[in-house]
Amino acid sequence: MFDIRKIQPEDSVAFYDKGGNELARVYLKSYDEGFLSYLKEELAQDTEVITENITLVIEPYDIRLKE
């Protein structure tokens, strides 16, 4: 079942590689404009995963994704 709700400051943005491994997480209440792009580039350099293979997912604070 799917539903839509507004993004909230307590939500987070998680960075995943193609294998589904979480590389980093940023909470929106601490987000600065342009930081997500910067962090994605830094993760690509540190992990040797190309940026095209890094996915950003907004995850609600009160809901967890299931495999």
Side-chain angles (χ1 to χ4, degrees):
M1 175 178 259
F2 294 95
D3 197 9
I4 297 175
R5 72 169 183 73
K6 292 183 179 183
I7 295 172
Q8 300 178 21
E10 296 84 10
D11 295 344
S12 61
V13 176
F15 294 77
Y16 292 96
D17 65 12
K18 280 199 167 210
N21 301 307
E22 184 175 319
L23 303 173
R25 179 175 299 272
V26 175
Y27 290 91
L28 294 178
K29 59 184 163 189
S30 63
Y31 166 77
D32 288 324
E33 188 172 338
F35 181 67
L36 297 178
S37 296
Y38 168 78
L39 183 55
K40 186 175 181 179
E41 291 292 330
E42 290 295 310
L43 286 169
Q45 288 179 0
D46 291 349
T47 62
E48 298 180 2
V49 175
I50 59 173
T51 56
E52 291 81 11
N53 289 341
I54 298 176
T55 302
L56 282 69
V57 178
I58 297 174
E59 294 186 349
Y61 72 95
D62 54 352
I63 298 171
R64 282 305 205 203
L65 299 177
K66 293 182 180 181
E67 290 186 18

